[in-house]
Amino acid sequence: MQGLTVNDLWANYGANHVLQGVNLPDLSPSSLTAVIGPNAAGKTTLIRAISGLQMAKGVVRLGDVDLMQCSWTERARHVAYMPQHLPDGLALSVLETVLLPAQVSMSPFAGPDVALQDRAIQILSVLGVESLAMQQLRSLSGGQRQMVALAQAMIRDPRVLLLDEPTSALDPHHQLSVMQCVRSFTRRQQVIGVFVCHDLNLALTWADQVVALHQGRIVAHGTPETVITSDLLSEIYNVQGRVERCSKGRPLLIYDQAI
Ligand SMILES: Nc1ncnc2c1ncn2[C@@H]1O[C@H](COP(=O)(O)OP(=O)(O)OP(=O)(O)O)[C@@H](O)[C@H]1O
């Protein structure tokens, strides 16, 4: 099985050293990992560095493949990144937007790929937004655009799926359906899933493991309940809080106050 290895990863914006030797635990196929941490901790930079969109130094390997040495196209075949927001001003329909990255490597003279279009519709339908297929992207709400961005990443059939706050604009129903969809996609296709989130209850509920990033360094990793603790909340978020059990026995994070 082709696990993802990230070791000693460094990235900076000028004098701002955003990632300072990040070592992730081994990320295995079919697993879902949440990256948590306060604002400006470096979470987006980390997953962009893994995808190759952000310049970085260090080790990023997928099984035997050294992703740092791959061409951009080869890296993009292995790794898909879903941004927090799709760029504004794209004069494309939803279907065209979803198909765009999957068609980049095709000849401009190739006819329409019907199988790919069917697959795009099928992914939109799993996300519950197939009725939007012919609408213009710029006419959609923030939450609808977020689901289109997810469909765009999924259609590429990546080995690694990197999601930047995939549910931040979604209502509770769509948060649940998107996370169910992501989890079944990673398990069924043996994909390595990584999502950045600020909603720690989302991490407690959906992640197999959690990585906590603070000031560009990993300060904790492990199962959700071993990482998301009162101590961690006060240490990196300056918040007093606790993990309780709901009536169904599931862990639930309660925030008491800012410190
Ligand atoms: N394009 C950029 N140019 C310069 N500095 C940047 C750029 N993008 C991010 N930074 C800086 O890098 C640091 C880490 O940013 P990053 O977006 O990775 O953090 P984050 O943990 O994802 O934050 P948030 O939770 O607020 O989204 C911040 O100090 C930010 O100001």
Side-chain angles (χ1 to χ4, degrees):
M1 279 296 160
Q2 305 238 303
L4 181 70
T5 306
V6 175
N7 278 335
D8 199 26
L9 198 62
W10 293 78
N12 62 290
Y13 294 102
N16 185 0
H17 293 276
V18 179
L19 301 182
Q20 303 187 33
V22 167
N23 295 307
L24 292 186
D26 277 345
L27 307 184
S28 43
S30 308
S31 68
L32 195 50
T33 299
V35 179
I36 64 167
N39 291 131
K43 302 178 297 298
T44 295
T45 306
L46 172 61
I47 61 170
R48 284 174 58 86
I50 296 171
S51 76
L53 288 167
Q54 167 68 44
M55 289 260 288
K57 285 188 186 145
V59 177
V60 182
R61 303 184 67 87
L62 182 60
D64 295 337
V65 181
D66 181 353
L67 291 177
M68 295 302 244
Q69 299 300 324
C70 286
S71 67
W72 168 248
T73 358
E74 193 186 346
R75 194 158 175 169
R77 262 207 305 277
H78 296 298
V79 184
Y81 166 75
M82 171 197 166
Q84 276 182 38
H85 307 286
L86 285 172
D88 284 327
L90 286 181
L92 295 173
S93 72
V94 165
L95 185 60
E96 287 167 334
T97 308
V98 174
L99 290 170
L100 194 63
Q103 287 176 326
V104 165
S105 55
M106 290 167 60
S107 154
F109 305 110
D113 184 333
V114 177
L116 197 61
Q117 287 185 11
D118 287 349
R119 190 160 144 59
I121 297 288
Q122 185 222 334
I123 292 173
L124 289 170
S125 134
V126 169
L127 292 170
V129 288
E130 76 277 22
S131 60
L132 303 178
M134 294 307 155
Q135 279 198 36
Q136 285 294 300
L137 183 69
R138 54 189 168 199
S139 72
L140 303 189
S141 75
Q144 290 170 327
R145 290 164 69 98
Q146 212 162 24
M147 286 184 279
V148 174
L150 177 57
Q152 203 184 46
M154 285 169 64
I155 198 169
R156 288 168 42 195
D157 263 338
R159 303 315 319 144
V160 182
L161 180 66
L162 304 168
L163 309 171
D164 202 349
E165 299 191 39
T167 62
S168 59
L170 301 182
D171 65 38
H173 170 85
H174 287 103
Q175 283 188 21
L176 285 170
S177 62
V178 159
M179 290 314 294
Q180 277 163 5
C181 174
V182 168
R183 187 146 84 181
S184 68
F185 181 74
T186 51
R187 299 239 160 116
R188 200 180 50 242
Q189 315 270 91
Q190 303 190 324
V191 169
I192 298 164
V194 179
F195 66 103
V196 168
C197 72
H198 279 298
D199 180 347
L200 302 185
N201 277 310
L202 206 69
L204 273 173
T205 307
W206 294 99
D208 299 308
Q209 65 178 339
V210 173
V211 170
L213 191 64
H214 184 43
Q215 297 176 347
R217 294 192 170 92
I218 302 296
V219 292
H221 67 82
T223 58
E225 284 190 76
T226 58
V227 173
I228 300 174
T229 60
S230 302
D231 285 349
L232 183 94
L233 291 178
S234 58
E235 187 190 324
I236 72 171
Y237 288 102
N238 292 320
V239 158
Q240 230 171 51
R242 63 212 136 89
V243 177
E244 301 275 352
R245 301 247 151 226
C246 76
S247 58
K248 297 201 167 165
R250 289 201 290 266
L252 185 66
L253 180 60
I254 311 224
Y255 298 113
D256 292 316
Q257 59 178 348
I259 298 170

